[in-house]
Amino acid sequence: MKLKAIALATTAAIATSGAANAQEVLEMTSAFGKNLPILGTAGVDFVEKINSISEGVEFEHFDPGELVPTLEALDAVSNGSVDAAYTTAGYWQGKITAASLFAAVPFGPEAGEFLAWMLYDDGAEMFQRMYDENGYNVHVQPCGIIAPETSGWFKNEINSMADLEGLNMRFFGLGAEVMQRLGVSTSLLAGGDIFPALERGAIDATEFSMPRIDARLGFYNIAKFNYFPGWHQPATMFELLVNKDVWEGLDERSQNQIEVACLANITTNYAEGEATNFAAMQSNVDENGVTNMVWPDEMLATFESTWNEVAAELAAEDPYFAEVWADLQEFREGYKTWGDTIYLPRPRN
């Protein structure tokens, strides 16, 4: 997918379209409840966008569990029991080794660079190939993105790598591989399951998302130390999955309108996170007794070196991971010519 091509195709389709097709209604499960700001509202916003511009297709939004549980959405869309899903590929890490490379990459690209690779380089094509080559009958479309998440909520202050050893922690995607190497026992829990697990002591710590989103889930009631930066998720990409038979049954205009609605959703999803999280950080401190913590440079260096080891091993074990990883690294090396030159240096403490 190339952004310019989509825009031109949509313009052409609108110009040449005749009478509107009969409306087709697609049931869409979301990985995130609509009560969650930024994460959950993005799925709702996408549905509002597409339904306001399309004459041939309409989406109906369902919260996690109403049609299928969060972690079963890929299989459900592929087998046709659900038409579509708004989710993130990081949830399929246990099924497809390369999946999280299309969701969030530790010490990887931030939002602008990630979108550049996805929309104007090889990312989108490789994203679809990943599902095709693993036997999933889905069409995938990038449909949201957020800036870095927090690195985690801990009940006790973490002063060294030794303080991590033996912890049970909810962790997402490729970052979980790093934490396990460092002595943390990780599990992937859906958003609604995290607070009960913290409360009953099944987990000692958690990461989930941004401060505003995490505040809605109440982690601050139990874990008072919130760590930054989110090295494991410098940006997180979200996907729209549509059953491929359903997708191919749509007319070209409807397909283009879905793609354009997703591109618009990427913009509003990213902007909402950037606009609202600083207030949540301050509220956590002033009202919830949270201490915002920054990882020491030496611990970040350990996280990064461990990630490099994990990435090398995954590439050695899985040919498609290796192919995607090499492509992303090649793009990033070229991007440095621009990124390291044009942007102001970041302030350091």
Side-chain angles (χ1 to χ4, degrees):
M1 182 196 71
K2 297 293 184 281
L3 178 57
K4 185 182 295 184
I6 290 171
L8 290 173
T10 302
T11 301
I14 292 172
T16 60
S17 177
N21 295 327
Q23 198 87 341
E24 182 167 357
V25 180
L26 305 186
E27 293 184 339
M28 185 193 84
T29 184
S30 176
F32 313 100
K34 56 181 172 286
N35 64 310
L36 283 179
I38 307 171
L39 284 185
T41 53
V44 175
D45 290 347
F46 163 72
V47 168
E48 291 177 351
K49 287 179 176 73
I50 184 60
N51 290 355
S52 71
I53 64 173
S54 176
E55 297 173 339
V57 65
E58 181 177 300
F59 281 70
E60 185 176 1
H61 177 281
F62 291 88
D63 267 358
E66 291 185 321
L67 297 178
V68 292
T70 294
L71 301 182
E72 296 177 16
L74 172 59
D75 290 319
V77 174
S78 180
N79 66 32
S81 59
V82 176
D83 297 316
Y86 182 86
T87 182
T88 179
Y91 281 144
W92 325 133
Q93 183 68 34
K95 302 173 182 288
I96 308 172
T97 304
S100 283
L101 292 176
F102 301 97
V105 181
F107 297 95
E110 296 182 1
E113 186 180 1
F114 209 174
L115 286 170
W117 176 67
M118 186 66 71
L119 300 181
Y120 282 93
D121 197 68
D122 298 326
E125 182 270 332
M126 299 186 92
F127 202 2
Q128 183 63 57
R129 271 184 57 207
M130 178 187 74
Y131 287 120
D132 292 344
E133 293 183 9
N134 282 276
Y136 289 98
N137 187 42
V138 298
H139 172 85
V140 65
Q141 176 71 36
C143 206
I145 198 166
I146 58 175
E149 300 189 348
T150 83
S151 191
W153 294 81
F154 295 83
K155 296 177 182 179
N156 299 303
E157 189 172 345
I158 306 297
N159 294 307
S160 67
M161 302 309 297
D163 291 336
L164 292 173
E165 293 179 12
L167 291 181
N168 293 311
M169 187 172 184
R170 186 272 185 193
F171 221 94
F172 173 85
L174 292 167
E177 301 283 343
V178 175
M179 296 300 277
Q180 289 184 70
R181 296 289 180 93
L182 298 173
V184 179
S185 177
T186 68
S187 56
L188 180 59
L189 303 176
D193 297 328
I194 299 174
F195 184 87
L198 272 175
E199 190 173 38
R200 68 175 184 269
I203 56 175
D204 307 302
T206 188
E207 62 75 50
F208 183 63
S209 193
M210 296 170 141
R212 184 176 173 220
I213 300 165
D214 291 348
R216 183 65 60 88
L217 294 174
F219 301 152
Y220 60 81
N221 288 296
I222 298 173
K224 296 293 187 181
F225 296 94
N226 194 195
Y227 275 78
F228 299 82
W231 57 268
H232 65 302
Q233 289 181 254
T236 307
M237 185 82 67
F238 301 94
E239 62 184 2
L240 177 70
L241 297 174
V242 180
N243 176 272
K244 188 173 283 190
D245 296 331
V246 171
W247 176 262
E248 292 175 352
L250 297 174
D251 62 274
E252 184 178 2
R253 181 178 185 181
S254 294
Q255 291 177 350
N256 288 332
Q257 287 170 330
I258 290 169
E259 292 172 350
V260 169
C262 274
L263 289 168
N265 209 56
I266 286 170
T267 303
T268 53
N269 188 210
Y270 179 63
E272 183 181 5
E274 291 288 76
T276 59
N277 273 291
F278 58 84
M281 287 181 69
Q282 194 60 52
S283 176
N284 273 337
V285 173
D286 295 341
E287 301 174 21
N288 300 326
V290 170
T291 302
N292 290 325
M293 305 289 291
V294 176
W295 293 114
D297 287 346
E298 59 271 21
M299 292 189 70
L300 281 174
T302 300
F303 291 141
E304 185 170 13
S305 63
T306 306
W307 159 242
N308 290 334
E309 293 171 4
V310 168
E313 291 182 17
L314 291 174
E317 295 167 2
D318 186 274
Y320 198 69
F321 184 101
E323 183 180 351
V324 177
W325 180 243
D327 190 273
L328 178 58
Q329 294 304 98
E330 181 183 10
F331 179 81
R332 298 200 72 199
E333 188 61 33
Y335 181 86
K336 286 178 66 175
T337 303
W338 166 254
D340 290 356
T341 306
I342 198 67
Y343 293 107
L344 288 169
R346 297 183 183 182
R348 294 182 64 84
N349 293 332

